Amino acid sequence: AQSVTQPDIHITVSEGASLELRCNYSYGATPYLFWYVQSPGQGLQLLLKYFSGDTLVQGIKGFEAEFKRSQSSFNLRKPSVHWSDAAEYFCAVAVNRDDKIIFGKGTRLHILP
Amino acid sequence: DGGITQSPKYLFRKEGQNVTLSCEQNLNHDAMYWYRQDPGQGLRLIYYSQIVNDFQKGDIAEGYSVSREKKESFPLTVTSAQKNPTAFYLCASISGLINQPQHFGDGTRLSIL
């Protein structure tokens, strides 16, 4: 069965520093990949998605992610974080377009002033 | 504006009581999902429905029930059989179109009195 691993439960970076959140998936074929962000007490908002084509995808709020098939990874990056980026981030994978979406356990991002 | 509405935002349940969480969407989406979120656990799928009058169990369906009588509505009942119902519950929907992500409601937080 497919699975998603986010190895970092918490990450702390200084405001203005670069950010990379890791995500690895387990599946034989290329899945559909997503990154979502969740502010406290809120639902999830889609940051970006990868279905096919260019392996570097751009999302909202200045985020990007790179799909690396050889590493089964889909890491999220941002060149310079802002205090408002403090939130929880979820990587997710779906095998078929209308299949269940499997979520990682999330990475909570803390920003130092 | 189209979206997903979950109500109430906060809900309290007494021991042995059933409670129903509402989820309504006006996005004309075919599929709807219920997730449970606990700290450090990510999102776990309770039930999902890909079409009216049909639904499937997710990974943690025990102690929950759902119905899908209308396309726009997918209520979740937390029964007295669910021994640990305190959690944040998220409803999501997705269209049948390719390349479209899940849309999420703002969640309902259920607590036991």
Side-chain angles (χ1 to χ4, degrees):
Chain A
Q2 61 270 26
S3 64
V4 179
T5 302
Q6 292 180 249
D8 303 305
I9 299 174
H10 295 272
I11 281 190
T12 301
V13 298
S14 298
E15 190 169 16
S18 63
L19 171 70
E20 182 169 32
L21 302 183
R22 296 182 291 165
C23 173
N24 294 94
Y25 67 90
S26 170
Y27 185 65
T30 300
Y32 298 108
L33 296 159
F34 309 87
W35 273 101
Y36 288 86
V37 61
Q38 183 183 33
S39 297
Q42 301 293 316
L44 275 67
Q45 180 184 22
L46 181 73
L47 285 175
L48 46 79
K49 61 183 186 277
Y50 173 78
F51 290 156
S52 64
D54 192 345
T55 56
L56 183 64
V57 293
Q58 302 297 320
I60 62 171
K61 304 184 180 187
F63 285 92
E64 66 178 25
E66 185 171 13
F67 170 62
K68 292 186 177 179
R69 185 191 307 273
S70 61
Q71 299 176 18
S72 297
S73 69
F74 189 57
N75 295 347
L76 182 71
R77 301 192 296 245
K78 187 169 185 178
S80 177
V81 298
H82 186 263
W83 64 267
S84 60
D85 293 324
E88 189 153 22
Y89 292 80
F90 291 93
C91 182
V93 59
V95 173
N96 299 310
R97 180 34 209 85
D98 57 355
D99 201 349
K100 297 183 296 182
I101 294 180
I102 309 298
F103 288 85
K105 293 188 175 182
T107 297
R108 183 166 295 280
L109 175 63
H110 306 271
I111 307 294
L112 294 175
Chain B
D1 288 338
I4 299 177
T5 301
Q6 289 188 242
S7 62
K9 191 167 181 63
Y10 299 96
L11 187 59
F12 298 92
R13 193 191 91 169
K14 294 181 180 179
E15 295 282 351
Q17 189 179 48
N18 293 355
V19 291
T20 297
L21 284 60
S22 170
C23 178
E24 303 279 332
Q25 54 100 357
N26 60 2
L27 300 164
N28 200 33
H29 284 175
D30 294 313
M32 298 185 73
Y33 302 76
W34 273 107
Y35 294 93
R36 171 180 170 140
Q37 186 176 22
D38 298 281
Q41 294 294 317
L43 276 70
R44 292 183 289 170
L45 183 64
I46 305 172
Y47 269 98
Y48 64 106
S49 167
Q50 294 180 319
I51 194 170
V52 174
N53 292 323
D54 188 36
F55 47 83
Q56 289 79 41
K57 292 182 179 180
D59 301 318
I60 56 165
E62 185 175 353
Y64 300 96
S65 66
V66 293
S67 63
R68 187 85 187 276
E69 298 177 1
K70 299 184 297 182
K71 186 176 185 178
E72 59 269 24
S73 179
F74 191 41
L76 173 74
T77 296
V78 184
T79 73
S80 57
Q82 173 49 245
K83 298 306 179 188
N84 185 24
T86 297
F88 189 55
Y89 291 86
L90 285 164
C91 179
S93 71
I94 194 167
S95 76
L97 299 175
I98 196 167
N99 289 347
Q100 297 302 310
Q102 284 190 338
H103 292 251
F104 283 84
D106 285 339
T108 293
R109 183 164 298 281
L110 175 62
S111 301
I112 299 302
L113 291 177

